[in-house]
Amino acid sequence: MNRAWLLLLDFACLCVSGRFVIASLHCEGRDFGAILVLLLGTTLLAFLSSSEILFSVAALIAFINGCGATHILPSSDPIALTLSGIFIGTFVRDRAIWHLSSGPLRPISLVSQLLAGGVIASLIFTLAASPAKALQPSQFLRIPVFGYSEPLYPLTTTLIWIQGLSYFQLLLFRCKNKIPALYTTFGLLTAACVCYCVWQAATGYPVPWSPQLKHFSPFEDIHAFGGVAVALLGFSFALLVNKEGRMPGYISAAWVVLTLAMTALSFSRSAWLAAVSTIVLVTAVRFGWRRAALGVAALFLICLALWPLLVRYQQQNIYAARAASLIRFEAIEKKIPERLALYERALRMIESHPITGVGIGRSYEQSTYYADLNDPIRQIPNFSHDAILQFAAEMGIPLALCLGSLCGFILFSSLKSLARDPRILAIYSAAFAFCLTQLSSNSINIYSGQQTFLWFLLAGTAVSTVSNHKEKSLSGII
């Protein structure tokens, strides 16, 4: 029975990935050469070295996204195409994608399987409840990525979640002893972000998605860029303050400066708050909570000192206005009225469909129907801007609790190991920072790269913690 269940998950992963590949090839017509090269290349690499290709994807997220934005890779979602090749190659090699991990990782593996099953069930429920004509079956193998309001958008959301969870499972199974090359992975990701930003600023190509911000990044929006940037900041800051790290101090300091600059430029308030929270956490682990509290007090005084300057320039500089809105003392209803309105829409969806949700991928389309009359943006559809809240609105409270408990369990169970190994503190800081940004963002729900990065961070944290416990047990025996 267990093997049949895993085969079902394999089948689901191959189906959603295969549909995406076929639609991508069809969409590009005669210009499918680059897609075919990427697909065959990743399939071959996964067949030859399944472990190395897994963490290489995380290291190259920014590079692959950048290639997509510059149309070097014509695919509408090059990350999803890369993962499709990996899953095909892995299945050809091992006759399986999903495995049940053993030992301490077994409960995590089981919950992720439950999540994947819930995603599949939600897709079936959503499509079955939709009118047959609205589903446009002729577009099933013609459009790789559907628009947020299109009837077949649930297929895109399912692709993102199933591929992300399958990637997580492979990481747990293949890298059960350790996640190799953590420093290299985060270093390459930082270098790709910096190089892309410099290239785009120097050449003006591709055109920044936000001309007002003159914003440069290889990611889809401020939340996606801010989440990755603050995760890199957490990782580099943990290395800087930990004297047992293998990296020279001046390199760590330069790394922190670069990632801090990217976090600031992201324009994401959730990334800014996550940066402060993560720095406080790392300081508390390394130097004690008393020094961390002194740091918070110092930050408060700095904000007070900067306040007149921010108020003075907030009309001329949107970053000053953004920072002023963040630290200004005012009622939450006045600070973020649009965001609160989106949260209320999600809560109404949950109230009306607490068990099943409104259907995977349906929250954007359905959001205006749940808007209040006092909603300032009631006629504009939007996402919930909270990953867990959106997950609950689309797929119900039980599955949202599974997702929240999975992330929470990994982070909570690793707390005692933070002071033992600088690698655990570094990867934990990155995961902690990224997860914090998702409490006021929903980038993991709609972007393959963000989903992949989330599961890489959580798998890295879980595997590193388990590996540290094993090493400690062995040293005690010896």
Side-chain angles (χ1 to χ4, degrees):
M1 179 63 182
N2 183 58
R3 186 56 201 153
W5 168 246
L6 295 177
L7 283 174
L8 176 62
L9 296 179
D10 289 343
F11 178 74
C13 180
L14 291 173
C15 280
V16 296
S17 299
R19 188 212 70 83
F20 174 79
V21 168
I22 294 172
S24 297
L25 292 171
H26 181 274
C27 187
E28 295 304 323
R30 296 181 179 180
D31 300 325
F32 64 87
I35 290 180
L36 200 58
V37 168
L38 178 61
L39 181 66
L40 294 178
T42 51
T43 300
L44 180 61
L45 288 174
F47 181 80
L48 296 176
S49 56
S50 57
S51 298
E52 288 75 7
I53 188 64
L54 292 175
F55 63 83
S56 298
V57 173
L60 297 174
I61 284 175
F63 177 76
I64 296 173
N65 266 351
C67 288
T70 54
H71 304 293
I72 296 174
L73 293 174
S75 173
S76 53
D77 192 342
I79 296 292
L81 189 64
T82 302
L83 290 175
S84 298
I86 290 174
F87 297 140
I88 294 171
T90 300
F91 187 80
V92 171
R93 170 179 169 163
D94 301 331
R95 299 295 187 271
I97 300 171
W98 283 76
H99 304 269
L100 182 59
S101 299
S102 57
L105 296 175
R106 186 182 180 90
I108 299 174
S109 180
L110 286 172
V111 175
S112 63
Q113 289 179 28
L114 181 62
L115 274 173
V119 168
I120 297 168
S122 183
L123 175 66
I124 296 172
F125 164 79
T126 303
L127 295 182
S130 302
K133 292 183 179 179
L135 293 179
Q136 300 173 325
S138 62
Q139 305 300 318
F140 184 78
L141 295 177
R142 294 176 178 269
I143 300 178
V145 176
F146 295 95
Y148 300 145
S149 297
E150 293 187 43
L152 286 177
Y153 180 67
L155 288 174
T156 298
T157 308
T158 302
L159 172 76
I160 292 170
W161 279 103
I162 290 296
Q163 285 197 334
L165 289 165
S166 301
Y167 175 70
F168 180 61
Q169 276 281 317
L170 282 175
L171 281 172
L172 292 180
F173 185 75
R174 294 295 177 199
C175 308
K176 61 185 70 175
N177 295 320
K178 67 175 182 178
I179 299 291
L182 274 181
Y183 295 90
T184 304
T185 298
F186 281 88
L188 287 174
L189 187 54
T190 304
C193 290
V194 172
C195 291
Y196 185 90
C197 292
V198 172
W199 163 265
Q200 193 178 18
T203 65
Y205 179 79
V207 177
W209 52 260
S210 178
Q212 184 185 14
L213 288 173
K214 293 183 173 56
H215 182 272
F216 305 97
S217 91
F219 296 98
E220 295 86 351
D221 57 32
I222 61 174
H223 305 295
F225 181 41
V228 174
V230 76
L232 296 174
L233 173 61
F235 186 87
S236 58
F237 183 74
L239 294 182
L240 177 65
V241 302
N242 203 311
K243 296 180 180 179
E244 297 178 7
R246 298 177 296 177
M247 187 171 296
Y250 67 91
I251 295 181
S252 297
W255 198 350
V256 169
V257 170
L258 286 173
T259 54
L260 183 61
M262 288 194 295
T263 302
L265 290 173
S266 71
F267 202 68
S268 170
R269 289 179 294 190
S270 62
W272 296 348
L273 292 173
V276 173
S277 302
T278 305
I279 289 173
V280 169
L281 173 67
V282 173
T283 303
V285 171
R286 184 66 183 85
F287 303 108
W289 285 104
R290 182 174 297 180
R291 292 193 181 183
L294 291 174
V296 172
L299 178 63
F300 179 76
L301 294 176
I302 291 172
C303 290
L304 288 179
L306 289 176
W307 175 250
L309 193 63
L310 295 174
V311 172
R312 180 179 178 181
Y313 288 101
Q314 64 180 343
Q315 298 298 329
Q316 295 84 19
N317 188 285
I318 57 175
Y319 280 92
R322 187 79 158 176
S325 71
L326 182 62
I327 64 177
R328 183 186 297 120
F329 289 101
E330 59 184 347
I332 191 69
E333 294 84 1
K334 187 177 180 181
K335 186 181 290 290
I336 49 171
E338 294 86 0
R339 187 64 61 86
L340 289 179
L342 294 177
Y343 294 160
E344 290 175 359
R345 294 185 193 183
L347 290 174
R348 293 190 188 99
M349 292 183 202
I350 296 171
E351 184 180 7
S352 64
H353 300 82
I355 305 301
T356 62
V358 297
I360 186 170
R362 287 285 190 244
S363 64
Y364 183 91
E365 175 198 7
Q366 295 285 320
S367 62
T368 54
Y369 299 109
Y370 293 88
D372 187 75
L373 292 177
N374 298 321
D375 189 333
I377 52 172
R378 60 179 178 274
Q379 296 187 11
I380 302 175
N382 209 331
F383 292 108
S384 303
H385 284 72
D386 182 300
I388 298 294
L389 203 58
Q390 181 172 323
F391 197 83
E394 291 187 353
M395 285 176 270
I397 294 175
L399 278 180
L401 289 175
C402 287
L403 177 62
S405 61
L406 176 61
C407 300
F409 174 77
I410 292 174
L411 294 177
F412 182 77
S413 61
S414 303
L415 281 174
K416 294 182 180 179
S417 304
L418 297 184
R420 299 175 187 167
D421 191 328
R423 293 171 300 176
I424 296 180
L425 179 59
I427 186 67
Y428 183 94
S429 300
F432 177 76
F434 187 79
C435 287
L436 280 183
T437 64
Q438 297 307 306
L439 296 178
S440 57
S441 169
N442 56 275
S443 56
I444 64 169
N445 303 71
I446 57 178
Y447 301 132
S448 293
Q450 299 288 296
Q451 178 91 194
T452 303
F453 192 56
L454 167 71
W455 295 119
F456 172 78
L457 294 175
L458 291 177
T461 302
V463 171
S464 298
T465 302
V466 170
S467 177
N468 181 268
H469 288 169
K470 288 181 180 178
E471 290 175 2
K472 184 180 178 183
S473 301
L474 289 174
S475 62
I477 295 173
I478 296 173

